[in-house]
Amino acid sequence: MTEPAWVAGVVVIPLVGALIAVLAGRRAAPIAVVTAVGAAVAAAALVRQIARDGVVEHAVGGWAAPLGIALRADGLSALFVAAVAVVGTAAIVYALAHPGTPHRFHAAWLLGWAGLAALAVSADAFNLYVALELLTLAGATLVALASEAAALRAALRYILLALAGSLAYLFGVVLLYAAHATLELSALGAAVTPGPVTAVAIAAMVAGLALKSALFPLHGWLPPAYAGAPAASAVVLAGLLGKASFLVLVRLWFEVVPPSLRPDAGLLLGVLGAAGALWGAVLALRQTRLRRLLAYSSVGQLGYLFLVFPLGTGPALAGAVYLVLAHAAAKAALFMAAGSIERACGSDELGALRGLAPRMPLTFLTIGLAGLTLMGLPPSGGFVAKWLLLGASLETGQWWWAIVLVVGGFLAAAYVFRVLRLAFLPAAGAAAIARAPRGAELPALALALVSLGLGLAAAPPLALLGAGP
Amino acid sequence: MTADLLPLWVLLSSLVASVAIFGLSERRVATRTAINLVAAVVKLALVAVMLWGVYQGARYEVRVAFVPGADLLLRSDPLSLLFISLSAVLWLATTIYAVGYLEGAPDRSRFFGFFSLCVASTMGIALAGNLLTFFLFYELLTLSTYPLVVHRGTAASLAAGDRYLAYTLLGGGLLLVGVAWLHATAGGLEFTVGGALPPPGDAAPSYVACFALLVAGLGVKAALVPLHGWLPVAMVAPAPVSALLHAVAVVKAGAFGIARVIYDVYGVRLADTLGLLRPLAAVAATTIVYGSLRALTQDDLKRRLASSTVSQLSYIVLGVATFGQIATVGGLVHLVHQGLMKIVMFFCAGNLADELELHRVSELDGVGRRMPLTMAAFTVAALGMIGLPPVAGFVTKWYLGAGALDAGAPWVVGVLLTSSLLNAAYFLPIVYRAWFGVRREAWPPPAGRLEVRPTLLGPTVVVAALALAAGVFAATELSPLRWVELIAAQEYGP
């Protein structure tokens, strides 16, 4: 274990960048680019450090755990920070090229970047709360950047529900702190004993995080927020911010929740996750607009993640984290593509996509490649994740989750091909189509290729998670 | 380039071609054709080198760490070489054919890009060294064929595409569960001559269930009844697709996979002990007869051929699911023989459609006089399918029949006889109409000196000659039959 101070850089750089971007107003774009480069370098250094030496711990300013801010980064932190850097940088490039991106996007997104990084390297329950609130603020701003009334309503709903989730989480933190006088996760894990206080605290925290993760049946806030936000906002919301609460839940579950509480509660979360996976896919199948389809697809994909709770650590945890990574790249790519299409056709109605493929081949290639991860078909990161979850469910004798995974895959194939088949139809009419700028098409394709590459070079990231082949 | 990496080069030769072709603009016809042909010839050369090496006992292996318990593994063994050689030869023939057939058609970059991707997937399926790698390419084949099925963009082809996906993705799902379950039961499984599974012990029911899932998943592409419904519908695709993919690559991927599972995963002895072979043989026998009966009533030529494919594929399955070395030889060698004969027939159907706009059997009266070489090639292939010597199909049926008697399954001979009669009943009318049928009005004259463009006629005649040669020279050292005898001898052990 080592204590390099620069680890704090993964949080500090985007945070400082966000503040400068706010001050820079309309000239925020160059600030965002510089910040992204700096934060990406810090993320790469963190990955390299952890791959070489394992877990990194650092007490900010030299204050030790109970008082100061303790940072702790393991393989999961490193991978998530890396995903934030890759998707986040691509999102900024996209925002620069996509016409009509509000200039305040950069500040809001850099704030979100800082929140995500803080969340990934936090080792205590209160710091996690602070990170979650940063994300609430950033997320609501990102949604509200759209000026239409519907988007503002969605933003209001987003912020109310996100705050409710955060408060429930905070309530649990307070209860645990009152009982055990510590907030550090590993210390809490050693201290908690099954009992009414623990049960209430854990229930409040889990429920709050489940609401923020859009776990079925608490998912209603998600589709309007994702579908109404400006294109660049939707990219980071669906790609990254949507997964943050799940990661907190994973930390909490495997480090704090007493093992005796895990089976029953885990089964409940698994059942809700499975229901969400199937219901989200069914609703995605019934949408007539591309971005709403993608948003419901996110509800479904987030549902799979919750299978980790009944399936436990080991390959299942690796599978869930891998799905977070693959889905981050793929869904961000898809929302970029949807934004480009909406810009080109003036609408994201599925019917408008007829015959569009020859005009926007790169965008359709992106949808095809990223769609592989949603369907869980090889070669894609989504397939590797599905394989790990499938193996975990069969090895532990819980074959019913395997059925959910496979059936969910069929449904996903149905909605992905609903979009892709339109590429082969002749054009509907001589509608005026503005060409998408290359700068908006290329980052989307790059992210789609990342989701594909995760399906071929799976060994290094899995090794970081301690689940290498 | 080191020899060890040969399997990777074979895979990359079509993958690189695919990416390069996608990147080309629609108008660069000459460049595209050059890439296609160079890639096909390079692959053929690489396969020839590999074939020679494997013949002399070399094994090439490329391994990349992937997930816990399974690597990405490409490996060449005699069985993979059997499939690869067939695909490489027929890819070259079909590429030439497709360049001619699609002359002037729209979206050719997309077509040839996916076409090469299909071939790359087929190579991966043949070279896969474990079930996970096999699955990876099996699904990739599904995905890369879909754009070819819907290529024309008509309502009919999109409907066919939907059905194609529904069947093949369902099959992929079953296969995935089977592979994952077998992994959970018995660990990472690399294909091993004689079988890779440890003795079942308590796990026997799991073994049986996994076998059912694997075979059902593979059976979709192998068009086993009742999983065959996609194949006749997929005939809306352009002729080269029907020829290479739906007569050879896709359907063979299923049959080849079933052979892999029986021989190199379970091991034929274990599969027999667990009682897995007999039900599969029964399904195959049903499919043989059912496919032939369906073919009788089809007037659309390509659909008749497709129903015949359903039937013929199950010869392979029947052979590999019969416990006995001779029957195994009959089944595996049909992998090559059926491919050669059926692709000729689809080429002929394409020639008829392209030159004279003929699509139905009932329109073929007297066409032999207008297109003698095409119909001669068709006749050779049809006689082979029926099982007449000296065409390749005879060798198959001979070994299947002798093998069945040897294995104590005389009922198989009954199935073979019934099927041969049915084959004759649906193929001979075509041959008869072509040569002896009378047509009132004159045929439109050919544009050039030949009955149809040379790019279409050449591959047709050459592959028909190969089908004939595979039968006539079956006893020589370099025939598919000899190669398969080598494989079967290894699988059954000393």
Side-chain angles (χ1 to χ4, degrees), chain A residues 372 377 410 421 424-425 455 467 469, chain B residues 66-68 139 146 158 162 169:
Chain A
L372 291 180
L377 288 178
F410 291 147
R421 76 201 287 277
F424 298 94
L425 285 167
Chain B
F66 187 46
V67 291
E139 291 294 65
Y146 171 79
L158 279 163
D162 292 348
L169 289 178

Side-chain angles (χ1 to χ4, degrees), chain B residues 283-295:
Chain B
V283 172
T286 314
T287 309
I288 290 176
V289 176
Y290 176 85
S292 293
L293 286 172
R294 292 287 302 162

Side-chain angles (χ1 to χ4, degrees), chain B residues 13 74 85-86 100 121 143 155 234 241 269 322 333 429 447 461 491:
Chain B
S13 59
L74 295 177
S85 314
L86 172 75
S121 318
L143 296 170
V241 176
R269 284 175 211 287
T322 305
V333 81
V461 173
E491 294 294 352

